Amino acid sequence: MLSNVIANQEIHTEYGGVVPELASRAHQQNIVPVVQQALQRANIGKNELSAIAFTKGPGLMGSLLIGTSFSKSLSQALQIPLIAVNHMQAHILAHFIEEKEHKKPSFPFLCLTISGGHTEIVKISDYFEMEILGNTIDDAVGEAYDKSAKILGLAYPGGPLIDRYAQKGNPLAYTFTKPKVGKLDFSFSGLKTAILYFIQREVKQNPNFVKENLYDICASIQHTIVSILMEKIENAVKETGINQVAIAGGVSANSEIRKRLKQAENDKNWQTYIPKFEYTTDNAAMIGIVGYYKYLEKAFDANTTTATARLKVDE
Ligand code: KG4
Ligand code: ZN
């Protein structure tokens, strides 16, 4: 990995969530400087590139189209192959980026793929052989974090903030009922509503409830969410007999899920794979590693390939 440049879009913070139109405008402004910076940091010229990999989906259409058009233009200009990458496969294959002290999973392994848009248990039998075993029937886990944070008046994205405050609180201070869904499936919209009603009820009694108990509230939310994730992945291990477990996606940055998974190495005799922190939330290196494996297979895409907003991890 020679460079991994990330352009954060601060613009969304004041709106409490990603505004698609603003996201695509920011992409439009950032894409040329970011690519230039990536080449500079890697200390290579664009003529030394072998191929261009880009995110085909899933994601926000406007933003995807900017990446798609830019990559097509660059591949045509440089006369090099174009490689379309599935964003969720990229989160998973980020485990294969060459890094000191990071052990790579061997096939088959299970991956809990948790982000702002996805919550899936995936069985990975080979680099591009993936099967979804469990999925959310409503909100994604990152959404549950961000929406809970919004209820508490925290800035977007709230996931990292809840995680930070949770570390100072009592995880058993408040209990929220866990949803009842299929053994390997998830549901988070009920939890969000339960948190909303709980906060509204408490604030009626004490307007300073959130401020006075923020750490305990965050710790209790985090405990509930991470317990659900652990329970489901445990079900998947039992059902498949595969005890190699990885996590991927933005929420895999979460300190509690990382800790609980590590513990499972001793408690449950699992082999666990936790991504390096900078490869958890969206990044270019994870798209690059998928590009690399596709390049080896000569799995190139025609210039007619287009962005797909809803793309499954096994597509
Ligand atoms: O993978 P990602 O960067 O973007 C998507 O593809 O969705 O994931 C972003 C999500 C957000 O919902 C954010 O709140 C969540 O990951 N997230 C976290 C943490 N860091 C990021 N959630 C909980 N704890 C964290 N430390
Ligand atoms: Zn992502």
Side-chain angles (χ1 to χ4, degrees):
M1 209 273 295
L2 298 182
S3 65
N4 186 24
V5 177
I6 292 173
N8 276 315
Q9 301 188 358
E10 306 293 339
I11 182 84
H12 307 291
T13 313
E14 62 184 286
Y15 296 95
V18 172
V19 184
E21 176 63 26
L22 295 179
S24 42
R25 286 186 202 186
H27 268 301
Q28 191 74 270
Q29 286 167 346
N30 290 336
I31 197 151
V32 172
V34 161
V35 170
Q36 273 170 344
Q37 210 180 348
L39 289 168
Q40 240 168 35
R41 282 195 201 166
N43 199 22
I44 57 167
K46 56 184 184 303
N47 292 325
E48 290 172 84
L49 296 173
S50 318
I52 307 284
F54 71 97
T55 307
K56 177 183 166 78
L60 294 173
M61 201 56 188
S63 303
L64 291 170
L65 281 174
I66 288 158
T68 307
S69 311
F70 182 84
S71 309
K72 278 184 190 175
S73 312
L74 196 57
S75 87
Q76 288 209 345
L78 298 173
Q79 291 288 300
I80 53 176
L82 181 69
I83 301 172
V85 171
N86 178 314
H87 180 86
M88 299 314 292
Q89 285 185 355
H91 272 302
I92 297 170
L93 296 185
H95 279 282
F96 294 91
I97 298 171
E98 211 55 72
E99 284 286 352
K100 265 193 226 123
E101 288 164 31
H102 183 78
K103 57 179 176 149
K104 297 175 188 172
S106 53
F107 304 116
F109 66 96
L110 299 176
C111 187
L112 180 64
T113 311
I114 39 182
S115 73
H118 291 80
T119 310
E120 290 165 352
I121 296 175
V122 185
K123 178 182 163 188
I124 296 100
S125 304
D126 205 344
Y127 293 111
F128 297 107
E129 213 182 305
M130 302 191 184
E131 184 192 349
I132 299 171
L133 304 180
N135 210 336
T136 178
I137 58 164
D138 42 55
D139 292 351
V141 60
E143 244 178 309
Y145 264 105
D146 297 338
K147 286 178 179 173
S148 303
K150 199 169 179 180
I151 294 168
L152 301 177
L154 304 176
Y156 178 87
L161 289 175
I162 292 191
D163 188 11
R164 192 184 327 145
Y165 298 143
Q167 290 169 37
K168 297 182 190 164
N170 171 11
L172 304 175
Y174 310 104
T175 42
F176 303 105
T177 36
K178 292 184 195 158
K180 287 186 179 57
V181 277
K183 262 185 155 178
L184 303 185
D185 288 328
F186 301 87
S187 166
F188 288 106
S189 73
L191 179 65
K192 170 197 66 195
T193 314
I195 292 167
L196 176 69
Y197 289 165
F198 164 74
I199 298 293
Q200 284 176 342
R201 209 171 49 233
E202 294 295 332
V203 166
K204 252 190 210 156
Q205 313 283 332
N206 170 13
N208 292 324
F209 175 76
V210 173
K211 213 166 138 197
E212 287 169 9
N213 301 284
L214 186 62
Y215 297 159
D216 283 351
I217 301 168
C218 288
S220 303
I221 294 173
Q222 173 126 304
H223 179 73
T224 309
I225 293 178
V226 175
S227 301
I228 295 170
L229 297 176
M230 286 303 292
E231 197 178 293
K232 298 295 175 164
I233 195 73
E234 211 171 324
N235 290 344
V237 169
K238 277 188 197 141
E239 229 161 75
T240 59
I242 298 170
N243 71 346
Q244 287 208 91
V245 181
I247 47 173
V251 183
S252 69
N254 184 266
S255 64
E256 186 67 21
I257 187 75
R258 292 167 87 91
K259 194 168 85 193
R260 297 270 294 269
L261 206 66
K262 198 91 209 107
Q263 276 169 1
E265 292 234 331
N266 293 323
D267 302 353
K268 305 184 205 295
N269 207 20
W270 293 357
Q271 286 287 333
T272 66
Y273 303 91
I274 297 167
K276 224 182 142 191
F277 196 77
E278 53 260 56
Y279 302 140
T280 53
T281 44
D282 293 351
N283 63 88
M286 70 183 200
I287 308 301
I289 191 72
V290 179
Y292 171 75
Y293 284 110
K294 287 198 161 185
Y295 185 80
L296 295 182
E297 289 183 7
K298 292 201 168 26
F300 303 140
D301 290 273
N303 241 276
T304 47
T305 303
T306 188
T308 310
R310 293 179 189 280
L311 192 66
K312 286 202 180 138
V313 75
D314 51 0
E315 284 173 333

